[in-house]
Amino acid sequence: TPDQQVAQLAVNGLVGLFWAPAVAAGCVAVGVRVPVAIPVWLALAGAAVMVAVPFRRVRHEAARARDGFAYAVGAFCDVAAMAMSAGQETHGALFAAAGAGSGPAFEEISGALEAGFLRGRRPADSLVQLGRELAVDDLVDLGGTIALAEREGAPVGDTVAAKAQAIRERLTTQVERDAAATTERMSIPGAMLMIGFLWFIAFPALYVIVQES
């Protein structure tokens, strides 16, 4: 919540601000003289870094939440497409799909559809608005696709099923790309360990050569 965010910023800022003076006071207590400018600048730098940490964490958590939301949108499209293929109209199929799942993503979709219904808004418009509020492009694209299919008279169920397939393919590609990147990062420690091992073996011989020369 915003209150928790402000409290976290305040605590982090105070910790970053007072760590350098505390260390300087400890140095003075043991007889080590520290110029005043050093702890002052370190305190300001520490406060700036510690204040930036919550923002970085929140952005990381938001990115993970949006990735999870994409999986939920894919499942939502699958259920909605099956309901439409069974003969259910678009409005009822979308509501049924929203109520078929659990978790924050389905709660957000269900709440947006219900709020839009009470305001007389089309389900496609509700999905677009929710996607823009949460910065979830899949929802925006889904709402726009449904609205376009309704205007053109195209089968909405086929359109939603195609959107679900596109989301699955994109998520699969993203998982494979992340796995490949993780594999590449895992090779770095092994390479560094090998370099250190070779240096450990070669150092005595190099030392003898240098001493003899």
Side-chain angles (χ1 to χ4, degrees):
T1 63
D3 292 340
Q4 292 174 337
Q5 183 74 2
V6 171
Q8 186 67 50
L9 290 175
V11 172
N12 282 27
L14 290 175
V15 170
L17 187 65
F18 288 112
W19 78 272
V23 173
C27 292
V28 172
V30 297
V32 178
R33 294 294 178 182
V34 179
V36 178
I38 293 178
V40 170
W41 284 108
L42 289 178
L44 295 177
V49 171
M50 292 297 292
V51 166
V53 168
F55 289 103
R56 183 180 177 84
R57 186 179 66 251
V58 167
R59 290 192 184 97
H60 178 69
E61 293 177 356
R64 287 198 308 170
R66 291 189 181 99
D67 290 340
F69 211 111
Y71 286 95
V73 173
F76 170 77
C77 291
D78 279 328
V79 177
M82 287 188 290
M84 293 177 192
S85 64
Q88 203 166 7
E89 49 92 19
T90 303
H91 189 278
L94 293 177
F95 269 85
S102 60
F106 281 94
E107 292 176 1
E108 290 284 351
I109 295 174
S110 180
L113 291 175
E114 292 176 359
F117 175 76
L118 295 176
R119 294 182 175 89
R121 185 184 301 142
R122 295 183 306 171
D125 297 334
S126 299
L127 294 177
V128 170
Q129 181 179 359
L130 177 62
R132 289 173 178 170
E133 291 175 355
L134 301 180
V136 178
D137 295 334
D138 288 321
L139 269 182
V140 178
D141 295 340
L142 175 62
T145 301
I146 293 174
L148 180 61
E150 290 176 340
R151 287 196 303 268
E152 298 293 334
V156 179
D158 295 342
T159 303
V160 175
K163 180 61 179 175
Q165 180 66 25
I167 292 175
R168 282 196 299 270
E169 291 177 354
R170 179 177 58 79
L171 292 176
T172 301
T173 303
Q174 180 179 348
V175 169
E176 293 175 350
R177 185 171 59 250
D178 293 342
T182 301
T183 302
E184 293 177 358
R185 288 195 298 269
M186 289 175 62
S187 64
I188 296 176
M192 297 300 296
L193 181 62
M194 181 60 68
I195 293 173
F197 181 70
L198 293 175
W199 174 254
F200 179 76
I201 294 176
F203 178 77
L206 292 175
Y207 179 79
V208 171
I209 294 173
V210 171
Q211 290 296 323
E212 291 180 353
S213 61

